């Protein structure tokens, strides 16, 4: 469906796609990944076709998550000695490029994982802070009802008199 260019489109989801950092016009420099995978390419195609930007890759991770080597990762495999899968950023928040300046922050919260498992595991919740400015609707100017003039004999008589006066002045 068509969306007005003034509309703010926000898409949140578990896309299971890794987006490369610094993809000009589509991802920021704080993506966890250096390359885009096949699912990430599908997400990137959606972004290109819809004019979206991955806001979840635009902001620097908090000091605490950077120190632990997780960065903006949204998915972490099991905490076991044999786990070889690196943390991944596969959950994204996409927003219209026009409204990207409205985004104030984006980060990953792991509170639910801590409550459930006692450590970071599975998916973290991606959140975004947005500053919205709504414009006050302007009142529409009233449009005169020209149809009312057709049935108004007084107005017709005044109009005819004015036309006769103008035509008399033109003859002289």
């Amino acid at each position: 469906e068509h969306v007005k260019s003034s509309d703010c489109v926000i898409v949140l989801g578990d896309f299971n796609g890794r987006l490369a950092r610094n993809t000009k016009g589509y991802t920021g420099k704080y993506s966890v990944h250096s390359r885009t995978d096949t699912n990430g390419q599908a997400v990137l195609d959606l972004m290109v076709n819809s004019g979206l930007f991955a806001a979840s890759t635009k902001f620097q991770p908090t000091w605490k998550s950077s120190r632990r080597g997780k960065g903006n990762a949204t998915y972490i495999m099991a905490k076991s000695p044999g786990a070889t899968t690196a943390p991944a950023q596969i959950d994204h928040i996409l927003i219209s490029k026009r409204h990207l300046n409205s985004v104030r922050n984006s980060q990953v919260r792991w509170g639910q994982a801590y409550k459930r498992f006692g450590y970071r595991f599975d998916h973290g919740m991606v959140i975004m802070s947005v500053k919205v400015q709504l414009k006050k609707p302007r009142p529409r100017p009233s449009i005169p009802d020209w149809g009312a003039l057709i049935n108004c004999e007084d107005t017709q008589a005044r109009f005819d008199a004015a036309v006769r006066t103008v035509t008399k002045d033109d003859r002289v």
Side-chain angles (χ1 to χ4, degrees):
E1 246 182 82
H2 296 285
V3 178
K4 289 189 242 174
S5 64
S6 59
D7 289 344
C8 180
V9 177
I10 300 174
V11 182
L12 301 97
D14 176 7
F15 295 102
N16 287 329
R18 293 166 170 83
L19 295 171
R21 69 181 73 90
N22 290 327
T23 304
K24 189 158 178 89
Y26 298 101
T27 63
K29 66 180 184 178
Y30 295 108
S31 177
V32 174
H33 309 289
S34 58
R35 290 183 306 214
T36 300
D37 66 359
T38 53
N39 287 346
Q41 188 58 49
V43 174
L44 194 58
D45 292 342
L46 169 73
M47 292 165 59
V48 169
N49 293 332
S50 304
L52 302 173
F53 186 91
S56 52
T57 64
K58 182 181 178 189
F59 296 93
Q60 186 171 7
T62 60
W63 179 79
K64 212 183 242 186
S65 61
S66 305
R67 189 182 63 168
R68 294 182 181 147
K70 307 295 190 242
N72 281 335
T74 61
Y75 182 75
I76 298 175
M77 289 297 289
K79 182 179 179 180
S80 64
T84 57
T85 306
Q89 185 176 11
I90 59 175
D91 306 318
H92 299 283
I93 298 177
L94 312 177
I95 188 167
S96 305
K97 288 183 183 181
R98 177 178 180 173
H99 296 280
L100 186 58
N101 290 337
S102 300
V103 180
R104 298 293 175 239
N105 192 16
S106 177
Q107 56 186 281
V108 182
R109 297 273 173 93
W110 289 95
Q112 291 300 321
Y114 281 124
K115 286 179 185 174
R116 186 171 180 194
F117 304 111
Y119 55 93
R120 293 180 184 196
F121 173 66
D122 203 19
H123 290 270
M125 180 172 53
V126 185
I127 62 169
M128 178 174 73
S129 302
V130 180
K131 180 179 181 182
V132 179
Q133 293 180 336
L134 300 176
K135 290 184 178 179
K136 187 176 182 180
R138 288 184 262 159
R140 300 180 103 194
S142 60
I143 300 172
D145 183 14
W146 300 111
L149 295 176
I150 294 172
N151 300 327
C152 183
E153 293 176 14
D154 181 46
T155 306
Q156 287 178 354
R158 284 187 296 151
F159 177 76
D160 290 341
V163 169
R164 278 190 224 111
T165 305
V166 170
T167 53
K168 282 182 187 178
D169 293 339
D170 289 340
R171 289 184 197 161
V172 177

PDB file of all heavy atoms in Angstrom, residues 12-13 55-56 72-74 89-93 106-109 123-128:
ATOM      1  N   LEU A  12       9.227  -2.849  13.741  1.00  0.00           N
ATOM      2  CA  LEU A  12      10.028  -3.534  14.754  1.00  0.00           C
ATOM      3  C   LEU A  12       9.894  -5.034  14.523  1.00  0.00           C
ATOM      4  O   LEU A  12       8.801  -5.496  14.214  1.00  0.00           O
ATOM      5  CB  LEU A  12       9.504  -3.209  16.154  1.00  0.00           C
ATOM      6  CG  LEU A  12       9.488  -1.759  16.564  1.00  0.00           C
ATOM      7  CD1 LEU A  12       8.129  -1.171  16.341  1.00  0.00           C
ATOM      8  CD2 LEU A  12       9.864  -1.663  17.999  1.00  0.00           C
ATOM      9  N   GLY A  13      10.973  -5.740  14.687  1.00  0.00           N
ATOM     10  CA  GLY A  13      10.820  -7.176  14.516  1.00  0.00           C
ATOM     11  C   GLY A  13      12.076  -7.978  14.714  1.00  0.00           C
ATOM     12  O   GLY A  13      13.191  -7.472  14.727  1.00  0.00           O
ATOM     13  N   ALA A  55      17.377   2.121  12.784  1.00  0.00           N
ATOM     14  CA  ALA A  55      17.699   2.998  13.912  1.00  0.00           C
ATOM     15  C   ALA A  55      18.451   2.256  15.004  1.00  0.00           C
ATOM     16  O   ALA A  55      19.214   2.854  15.756  1.00  0.00           O
ATOM     17  CB  ALA A  55      16.417   3.603  14.483  1.00  0.00           C
ATOM     18  N   SER A  56      18.259   0.951  15.077  1.00  0.00           N
ATOM     19  CA  SER A  56      18.925   0.166  16.113  1.00  0.00           C
ATOM     20  C   SER A  56      20.424   0.055  15.878  1.00  0.00           C
ATOM     21  O   SER A  56      21.158  -0.417  16.742  1.00  0.00           O
ATOM     22  CB  SER A  56      18.298  -1.226  16.201  1.00  0.00           C
ATOM     23  OG  SER A  56      18.263  -1.843  14.934  1.00  0.00           O
ATOM     24  N   ASN A  72      25.593  -3.930  20.655  1.00  0.00           N
ATOM     25  CA  ASN A  72      24.166  -3.855  20.374  1.00  0.00           C
ATOM     26  C   ASN A  72      23.563  -5.219  20.059  1.00  0.00           C
ATOM     27  O   ASN A  72      22.503  -5.299  19.451  1.00  0.00           O
ATOM     28  CB  ASN A  72      23.912  -2.908  19.196  1.00  0.00           C
ATOM     29  CG  ASN A  72      23.973  -1.466  19.607  1.00  0.00           C
ATOM     30  OD1 ASN A  72      23.746  -1.128  20.762  1.00  0.00           O
ATOM     31  ND2 ASN A  72      24.275  -0.591  18.654  1.00  0.00           N
ATOM     32  N   ALA A  73      24.230  -6.291  20.444  1.00  0.00           N
ATOM     33  CA  ALA A  73      23.739  -7.640  20.148  1.00  0.00           C
ATOM     34  C   ALA A  73      22.362  -7.839  20.763  1.00  0.00           C
ATOM     35  O   ALA A  73      22.092  -7.426  21.878  1.00  0.00           O
ATOM     36  CB  ALA A  73      24.702  -8.687  20.678  1.00  0.00           C
ATOM     37  N   THR A  74      21.475  -8.470  20.002  1.00  0.00           N
ATOM     38  CA  THR A  74      20.115  -8.718  20.475  1.00  0.00           C
ATOM     39  C   THR A  74      19.835 -10.205  20.668  1.00  0.00           C
ATOM     40  O   THR A  74      18.774 -10.574  21.137  1.00  0.00           O
ATOM     41  CB  THR A  74      19.082  -8.159  19.488  1.00  0.00           C
ATOM     42  OG1 THR A  74      19.249  -8.808  18.219  1.00  0.00           O
ATOM     43  CG2 THR A  74      19.249  -6.665  19.328  1.00  0.00           C
ATOM     44  N   GLN A  89      23.182  -9.333  16.171  1.00  0.00           N
ATOM     45  CA  GLN A  89      22.172  -8.273  16.178  1.00  0.00           C
ATOM     46  C   GLN A  89      21.179  -8.612  15.068  1.00  0.00           C
ATOM     47  O   GLN A  89      21.358  -8.251  13.913  1.00  0.00           O
ATOM     48  CB  GLN A  89      22.826  -6.922  15.928  1.00  0.00           C
ATOM     49  CG  GLN A  89      21.884  -5.757  16.046  1.00  0.00           C
ATOM     50  CD  GLN A  89      22.600  -4.430  15.894  1.00  0.00           C
ATOM     51  OE1 GLN A  89      23.757  -4.378  15.501  1.00  0.00           O
ATOM     52  NE2 GLN A  89      21.912  -3.360  16.197  1.00  0.00           N
ATOM     53  N   ILE A  90      20.115  -9.346  15.435  1.00  0.00           N
ATOM     54  CA  ILE A  90      19.151  -9.810  14.437  1.00  0.00           C
ATOM     55  C   ILE A  90      17.756  -9.229  14.637  1.00  0.00           C
ATOM     56  O   ILE A  90      16.872  -9.440  13.825  1.00  0.00           O
ATOM     57  CB  ILE A  90      19.073 -11.352  14.416  1.00  0.00           C
ATOM     58  CG1 ILE A  90      18.671 -11.887  15.771  1.00  0.00           C
ATOM     59  CG2 ILE A  90      20.393 -11.940  13.955  1.00  0.00           C
ATOM     60  CD1 ILE A  90      18.452 -13.392  15.805  1.00  0.00           C
ATOM     61  N   ASP A  91      17.558  -8.496  15.716  1.00  0.00           N
ATOM     62  CA  ASP A  91      16.291  -7.813  15.968  1.00  0.00           C
ATOM     63  C   ASP A  91      16.529  -6.335  15.682  1.00  0.00           C
ATOM     64  O   ASP A  91      17.505  -5.759  16.171  1.00  0.00           O
ATOM     65  CB  ASP A  91      15.848  -7.986  17.425  1.00  0.00           C
ATOM     66  CG  ASP A  91      15.795  -9.452  17.829  1.00  0.00           C
ATOM     67  OD1 ASP A  91      15.313 -10.264  17.024  1.00  0.00           O
ATOM     68  OD2 ASP A  91      16.240  -9.781  18.938  1.00  0.00           O
ATOM     69  N   HIS A  92      15.658  -5.740  14.892  1.00  0.00           N
ATOM     70  CA  HIS A  92      15.907  -4.367  14.449  1.00  0.00           C
ATOM     71  C   HIS A  92      14.680  -3.484  14.599  1.00  0.00           C
ATOM     72  O   HIS A  92      13.550  -3.971  14.609  1.00  0.00           O
ATOM     73  CB  HIS A  92      16.343  -4.349  12.979  1.00  0.00           C
ATOM     74  CG  HIS A  92      17.603  -5.098  12.724  1.00  0.00           C
ATOM     75  ND1 HIS A  92      18.843  -4.587  13.049  1.00  0.00           N
ATOM     76  CD2 HIS A  92      17.828  -6.317  12.194  1.00  0.00           C
ATOM     77  CE1 HIS A  92      19.769  -5.472  12.708  1.00  0.00           C
ATOM     78  NE2 HIS A  92      19.179  -6.525  12.198  1.00  0.00           N
ATOM     79  N   ILE A  93      14.936  -2.192  14.688  1.00  0.00           N
ATOM     80  CA  ILE A  93      13.896  -1.177  14.609  1.00  0.00           C
ATOM     81  C   ILE A  93      14.205  -0.347  13.371  1.00  0.00           C
ATOM     82  O   ILE A  93      15.278   0.243  13.256  1.00  0.00           O
ATOM     83  CB  ILE A  93      13.879  -0.268  15.855  1.00  0.00           C
ATOM     84  CG1 ILE A  93      13.577  -1.090  17.102  1.00  0.00           C
ATOM     85  CG2 ILE A  93      12.847   0.835  15.683  1.00  0.00           C
ATOM     86  CD1 ILE A  93      13.609  -0.296  18.393  1.00  0.00           C
ATOM     87  N   SER A 106      18.416   4.366  20.985  1.00  0.00           N
ATOM     88  CA  SER A 106      18.009   2.987  20.755  1.00  0.00           C
ATOM     89  C   SER A 106      18.998   2.100  21.498  1.00  0.00           C
ATOM     90  O   SER A 106      20.200   2.324  21.423  1.00  0.00           O
ATOM     91  CB  SER A 106      18.019   2.658  19.260  1.00  0.00           C
ATOM     92  OG  SER A 106      17.683   1.308  19.067  1.00  0.00           O
ATOM     93  N   GLN A 107      18.480   1.129  22.226  1.00  0.00           N
ATOM     94  CA  GLN A 107      19.363   0.251  22.984  1.00  0.00           C
ATOM     95  C   GLN A 107      18.699  -1.102  23.214  1.00  0.00           C
ATOM     96  O   GLN A 107      17.519  -1.278  22.923  1.00  0.00           O
ATOM     97  CB  GLN A 107      19.759   0.896  24.302  1.00  0.00           C
ATOM     98  CG  GLN A 107      18.605   1.311  25.174  1.00  0.00           C
ATOM     99  CD  GLN A 107      19.055   2.063  26.396  1.00  0.00           C
ATOM    100  OE1 GLN A 107      19.505   1.433  27.334  1.00  0.00           O
ATOM    101  NE2 GLN A 107      18.928   3.381  26.386  1.00  0.00           N
ATOM    102  N   VAL A 108      19.479  -2.023  23.745  1.00  0.00           N
ATOM    103  CA  VAL A 108      18.985  -3.372  24.026  1.00  0.00           C
ATOM    104  C   VAL A 108      18.850  -3.528  25.528  1.00  0.00           C
ATOM    105  O   VAL A 108      19.772  -3.206  26.272  1.00  0.00           O
ATOM    106  CB  VAL A 108      19.952  -4.445  23.471  1.00  0.00           C
ATOM    107  CG1 VAL A 108      19.415  -5.836  23.722  1.00  0.00           C
ATOM    108  CG2 VAL A 108      20.204  -4.224  21.995  1.00  0.00           C
ATOM    109  N   ARG A 109      17.718  -4.027  25.963  1.00  0.00           N
ATOM    110  CA  ARG A 109      17.480  -4.294  27.382  1.00  0.00           C
ATOM    111  C   ARG A 109      17.414  -5.799  27.601  1.00  0.00           C
ATOM    112  O   ARG A 109      16.713  -6.506  26.893  1.00  0.00           O
ATOM    113  CB  ARG A 109      16.160  -3.661  27.841  1.00  0.00           C
ATOM    114  CG  ARG A 109      16.133  -2.160  27.750  1.00  0.00           C
ATOM    115  CD  ARG A 109      16.705  -1.564  29.027  1.00  0.00           C
ATOM    116  NE  ARG A 109      16.858  -0.129  28.941  1.00  0.00           N
ATOM    117  CZ  ARG A 109      15.968   0.762  29.339  1.00  0.00           C
ATOM    118  NH1 ARG A 109      14.835   0.352  29.830  1.00  0.00           N
ATOM    119  NH2 ARG A 109      16.216   2.043  29.229  1.00  0.00           N
ATOM    120  N   HIS A 123      16.807 -13.672  23.272  1.00  0.00           N
ATOM    121  CA  HIS A 123      16.644 -12.341  22.688  1.00  0.00           C
ATOM    122  C   HIS A 123      16.561 -11.255  23.741  1.00  0.00           C
ATOM    123  O   HIS A 123      15.857 -11.404  24.732  1.00  0.00           O
ATOM    124  CB  HIS A 123      15.357 -12.283  21.850  1.00  0.00           C
ATOM    125  CG  HIS A 123      15.426 -13.088  20.602  1.00  0.00           C
ATOM    126  ND1 HIS A 123      15.874 -12.568  19.417  1.00  0.00           N
ATOM    127  CD2 HIS A 123      15.111 -14.384  20.354  1.00  0.00           C
ATOM    128  CE1 HIS A 123      15.823 -13.498  18.493  1.00  0.00           C
ATOM    129  NE2 HIS A 123      15.370 -14.615  19.033  1.00  0.00           N
ATOM    130  N   GLY A 124      17.267 -10.160  23.479  1.00  0.00           N
ATOM    131  CA  GLY A 124      17.116  -8.953  24.282  1.00  0.00           C
ATOM    132  C   GLY A 124      16.029  -8.092  23.658  1.00  0.00           C
ATOM    133  O   GLY A 124      15.712  -8.230  22.480  1.00  0.00           O
ATOM    134  N   MET A 125      15.454  -7.218  24.450  1.00  0.00           N
ATOM    135  CA  MET A 125      14.393  -6.350  23.942  1.00  0.00           C
ATOM    136  C   MET A 125      15.013  -5.054  23.416  1.00  0.00           C
ATOM    137  O   MET A 125      15.733  -4.359  24.127  1.00  0.00           O
ATOM    138  CB  MET A 125      13.401  -6.040  25.063  1.00  0.00           C
ATOM    139  CG  MET A 125      12.269  -5.149  24.614  1.00  0.00           C
ATOM    140  SD  MET A 125      10.958  -4.922  25.814  1.00  0.00           S
ATOM    141  CE  MET A 125      11.837  -4.399  27.256  1.00  0.00           C
ATOM    142  N   VAL A 126      14.740  -4.740  22.164  1.00  0.00           N
ATOM    143  CA  VAL A 126      15.250  -3.522  21.543  1.00  0.00           C
ATOM    144  C   VAL A 126      14.231  -2.414  21.801  1.00  0.00           C
ATOM    145  O   VAL A 126      13.044  -2.580  21.535  1.00  0.00           O
ATOM    146  CB  VAL A 126      15.454  -3.703  20.025  1.00  0.00           C
ATOM    147  CG1 VAL A 126      16.097  -2.469  19.421  1.00  0.00           C
ATOM    148  CG2 VAL A 126      16.288  -4.926  19.737  1.00  0.00           C
ATOM    149  N   ILE A 127      14.710  -1.289  22.340  1.00  0.00           N
ATOM    150  CA  ILE A 127      13.817  -0.165  22.603  1.00  0.00           C
ATOM    151  C   ILE A 127      14.340   1.074  21.893  1.00  0.00           C
ATOM    152  O   ILE A 127      15.523   1.165  21.555  1.00  0.00           O
ATOM    153  CB  ILE A 127      13.668   0.111  24.117  1.00  0.00           C
ATOM    154  CG1 ILE A 127      15.012   0.500  24.728  1.00  0.00           C
ATOM    155  CG2 ILE A 127      13.065  -1.068  24.834  1.00  0.00           C
ATOM    156  CD1 ILE A 127      14.888   1.045  26.127  1.00  0.00           C
ATOM    157  N   MET A 128      13.438   2.015  21.663  1.00  0.00           N
ATOM    158  CA  MET A 128      13.805   3.238  20.975  1.00  0.00           C
ATOM    159  C   MET A 128      13.043   4.399  21.603  1.00  0.00           C
ATOM    160  O   MET A 128      11.862   4.283  21.901  1.00  0.00           O
ATOM    161  CB  MET A 128      13.446   3.129  19.486  1.00  0.00           C
ATOM    162  CG  MET A 128      13.739   4.351  18.673  1.00  0.00           C
ATOM    163  SD  MET A 128      13.449   4.123  16.900  1.00  0.00           S
ATOM    164  CE  MET A 128      11.677   4.105  16.817  1.00  0.00           C
TER     165      MET A 128
END
